[in-house]
Amino acid sequence: MTNTAVTATTIHPAPAEWWRDAVIYQVYPRSFADADGDGMGDLAGITSRLDHLAELGVDALWLSPFYRSPQADGGYDVADYRDVDPLFGTLADFDALLERAHALGLRVVIDLVPNHTSDQHVWFQAALAAGPGSPERARYMFRDGKANGEEPPNNWGSVFGGPAWTRVDKHPDAACLGATDTQWYLHMFDSSQPDLEWTNPEVRAEMVDVLRFWLDKGVDGFRVDVAHGMVKREGLPDWDGNTSMVDGSTGEAANVTALTPMFDQPGVHEIYREWNTVLAEYDGDRALCAEAWVEPLSALARYVRPDEMQQAFNFAYLTTPWDAAALRDVVTTSLDAYDEVGAPTTWVLSNHDVVRHASRLAIPGGGRPNGIRAHEPQPDAVLGLRRARAATLQMLALPGSAYLYQGEELGLPEHTTLDDSLRQDPAWFRTGHTEAGRDGCRVPMPWEGDAPGLGFGPSASTWLPQPDSYRELAADRQRGVAGSTYELYRTALAERRRLGLGAGDLAWVDAYAHDPAVVAFRNGDLLVMTNLGVAPVEVPAGYEVVVASGPVTDGVPTDTTVWALPENA
Ligand code: GLC
């Protein structure tokens, strides 16, 4: 690997409430870097590539789960919350990662998965064995079925497709654990991810203990998985609406949560109030970020009230189509909603659950499918990358915090021609092979264009194959190359920091306030213009372009964002 020295100037002293304007880079451990050559990313691999993040200029990283897990859902099925899966290394590897990150001035946020455990967790194994009515079963959502146990307790569907209930005697471990009863257990995701019973004080106490375990180690915060899902409406009433979080094609966040009995129940907020007090006992401004697919934004903002979490991903922004009026609207609504509770807006365009924005913004016919398969209409790679760069440059000028997903700084597209036989996402299996699922955004990173496996690790092996297009996009082919996506991100992050954009204020430019093709705003002295139309747009006289997402010759061309400062400023 290229081991560019990281100098003291890249180490940023962390201000108080660092999370208000931080740029946080998501690392998906399976796919970031592999140190031991088994084709699967690991913690030592991540540590070896941390210089890349420091050079890029982000403030923190968020690690998706690396805990002990059968990996039925890429680690979001946790069997032991206090240990590292051997696939990813050891607790000592985690300590080394944390120490190196902190030495580089990078904060570390880890993923907490409190809604469900793996079915291989000791609690669930004990629950199967102990039988109905036992304290072991009371940690999960076991219920008697209807029609003498023949039918599930209600009609809920799993987010991944299929029913959200499995009958005990149908569980693969039932026989060897002697579980012969016909109770059912709830799993809002895969049948190997049983939902915990959050009205049980033992569950609450255990998760606080898990928080403390990692806080004591020195982590700077937690991204809270399915933060809107832990409490269900009493009585578990039937629900005929959509439960999927990664929706098919509407272009809107799927959960209109106002009515859903499984999401966004008032009781979840009590949990975060308690966690808030736990974090406050620790020094260094530790933070919680909600993964909550909740609409409208005013309901989402409740998760970031002063005594709850610090951040909540703005998925309304992520799901907004490439349309000037829609973007202005979501930005205004977001800033208003989060301002109302005194929280920063937390912008995001890509993560490990959605089609990468370099592909999503060029899907023929629009929409937001859950993955793309080889025989389906393919995104235009050139158009997608142009729009992705423009979208990112716009996002990084917005006041608040922002999350980046590994590889977007290289302009990586979704892998849209992955062989179906290689798919691993449970959504692919649970939808009867109708939805491709999320594997296409989880492909191992290309670090070196000429190396086997594109430098993912010391062997040629990668747990998913990389598409041909990743070679040219490898990090070493972009470092120091003017105009590359990597250099665009680096420049934008440096300017964002220099100009204090994350802590700034947004003012729409009157002349474009209703323009069908142009989004234009000011953040302090900076003028930001995105052209979503066809005709080039003039930068006002007296302004000098300081960063541009693409070539600017005669005005701002189509699908391009520029940052401009008053001349002589
Ligand atoms: C969250 C995660 C996703 C996971 C699901 C179940 O949405 O981001 O990857 O499959 O929760 O834990």
Side-chain angles (χ1 to χ4, degrees):
M1 70 179 269
T2 319
N3 206 344
T4 316
V6 174
T7 63
T9 54
T10 55
I11 298 175
H12 319 291
E17 301 201 331
W18 61 278
W19 38 267
R20 284 193 175 273
D21 58 359
V23 176
I24 303 177
Y25 181 104
Q26 180 187 358
V27 170
Y28 192 65
R30 299 167 73 86
S31 302
F32 191 66
D34 172 21
D36 63 12
D38 64 355
M40 179 68 68
D42 46 41
L43 296 182
I46 297 169
T47 306
S48 76
R49 295 284 185 187
L50 284 176
D51 285 4
H52 172 79
L53 303 192
E55 279 166 42
L56 187 60
V58 298
D59 302 287
L61 58 145
W62 148 35
L63 293 167
S64 279
F66 49 79
Y67 313 107
R68 202 173 268 276
S69 158
Q71 303 290 318
D73 182 21
Y76 282 93
D77 47 322
V78 179
D80 184 345
Y81 289 86
R82 297 178 185 80
D83 202 2
V84 171
D85 196 275
L87 206 54
F88 300 127
T90 62
L91 280 172
D93 290 332
F94 179 80
D95 293 338
L97 187 162
L98 191 62
E99 194 184 328
R100 176 69 184 148
H102 283 165
L104 289 170
L106 296 166
R107 304 244 180 188
V108 178
V109 172
I110 62 171
D111 219 305
L112 187 74
V113 189
N115 179 67
H116 44 266
T117 70
S118 160
D119 62 351
Q120 299 307 305
H121 191 286
V122 286
W123 273 12
F124 192 73
Q125 294 280 306
L128 284 180
S134 60
E136 288 84 354
R137 288 238 170 144
R139 295 166 176 151
Y140 292 92
M141 303 196 67
F142 284 89
R143 297 289 186 277
D144 294 331
K146 291 183 181 159
N148 278 333
E150 289 306 310
E151 289 170 21
N154 70 21
N155 69 350
W156 293 3
S158 148
V159 170
F160 291 158
W165 297 92
T166 291
R167 210 169 77 172
V168 166
D169 58 356
K170 297 280 189 301
H171 188 279
D173 298 339
C176 71
L177 292 168
T180 53
D181 61 284
T182 58
Q183 275 204 318
W184 297 67
Y185 66 91
L186 180 71
H187 51 86
M188 286 312 303
F189 295 87
D190 190 52
S191 56
S192 65
Q193 294 167 295
D195 279 48
L196 285 163
E197 175 57 81
W198 272 86
T199 59
N200 184 338
E202 200 188 349
V203 169
R204 294 192 179 221
E206 166 68 2
M207 216 48 85
V208 165
D209 202 65
V210 169
L211 284 174
R212 289 188 189 282
F213 177 86
W214 294 100
L215 288 167
D216 289 340
K217 279 200 168 295
V219 303
D220 298 286
F222 301 88
R223 174 265 189 191
V224 181
D225 190 64
V226 198
H228 57 319
M230 281 119 85
V231 176
K232 280 78 178 173
R233 187 173 306 154
E234 218 179 305
L236 310 182
D238 277 354
W239 166 251
D240 293 314
N242 187 2
T243 55
S244 69
M245 299 207 282
V246 182
D247 186 28
S249 56
T250 61
E252 295 165 13
N255 299 316
V256 177
T257 40
L259 296 169
T260 43
M262 66 285 285
F263 294 130
D264 197 32
Q265 299 301 301
V268 291
H269 296 287
E270 285 166 31
I271 300 170
Y272 304 129
R273 287 193 193 104
E274 181 184 1
W275 291 7
N276 181 295
T277 64
V278 173
L279 264 68
E281 290 172 27
Y282 289 79
D283 61 0
D285 236 341
R286 321 279 176 115
L288 297 167
C289 177
E291 187 227 14
W293 292 82
V294 168
E295 285 187 327
L297 278 154
S298 53
L300 179 64
R302 291 202 279 265
Y303 290 76
V304 284
R305 286 178 287 195
D307 60 349
E308 296 195 30
M309 304 212 201
Q310 282 67 33
Q311 300 182 325
F313 291 112
N314 186 341
F315 293 126
Y317 180 68
L318 182 151
T319 54
T320 299
W322 191 238
D323 174 89
L327 283 167
R328 273 193 300 269
D329 186 49
V330 74
V331 169
T332 301
T333 313
S334 301
L335 292 172
D336 288 351
Y338 286 80
D339 277 356
E340 185 79 18
V341 291
T345 306
T346 302
W347 310 101
V348 59
L349 285 166
S350 276
N351 66 27
H352 66 296
D353 289 330
V354 299
V355 171
R356 284 181 174 278
H357 68 289
S359 299
R360 192 178 69 235
L361 296 176
I363 287 175
R368 198 168 62 83
N370 184 14
I372 298 172
R373 293 171 67 195
H375 69 271
E376 291 170 348
Q378 296 292 300
D380 174 335
V382 173
L383 176 69
L385 181 55
R386 197 167 68 226
R387 287 186 174 171
R389 291 168 55 121
T392 298
L393 198 57
Q394 181 186 85
M395 175 178 83
L396 291 176
L398 294 169
S401 169
Y403 277 75
L404 307 178
Y405 177 49
Q406 67 179 39
E408 66 166 90
E409 79 282 18
L410 306 177
L412 296 188
E414 185 86 356
H415 193 334
T416 55
T417 54
L418 197 61
D419 197 295
D420 284 342
S421 67
L422 300 173
R423 296 194 188 283
Q424 305 205 8
D425 185 350
W428 163 248
F429 300 101
R430 293 189 61 91
T431 57
H433 300 177
T434 54
E435 283 185 17
R438 303 161 293 174
D439 295 306
C441 65
R442 299 173 174 182
V443 171
M445 284 277 283
W447 293 101
E448 294 155 31
D450 293 328
L454 303 181
F456 178 58
S459 71
S461 156
T462 59
W463 71 277
L464 285 175
Q466 296 147 317
D468 293 343
S469 60
Y470 278 29
R471 184 176 304 281
E472 282 311 311
L473 296 171
D476 70 336
R477 302 247 173 129
Q478 299 198 41
R479 269 200 203 99
V481 176
S484 70
T485 302
Y486 173 76
E487 291 300 337
L488 170 67
Y489 270 69
R490 224 161 69 89
T491 307
L493 289 169
E495 282 296 284
R496 173 187 158 92
R497 183 184 303 279
R498 187 176 74 84
L499 298 168
L501 301 180
D505 284 307
L506 176 139
W508 296 112
V509 175
D510 286 343
Y512 293 104
H514 303 286
D515 196 289
V518 180
V519 173
F521 62 88
R522 289 200 172 77
N523 182 344
D525 281 344
L526 187 76
L527 171 67
V528 180
M529 300 180 83
T530 305
N531 182 2
L532 297 93
V534 179
V537 178
E538 288 305 315
V539 177
Y543 276 86
E544 183 188 6
V545 172
V546 288
V547 192
S549 69
V552 175
T553 43
D554 196 13
V556 184
T558 183
D559 294 331
T560 301
T561 296
V562 299
W563 292 4
L565 283 171
E567 278 164 11
N568 311 318

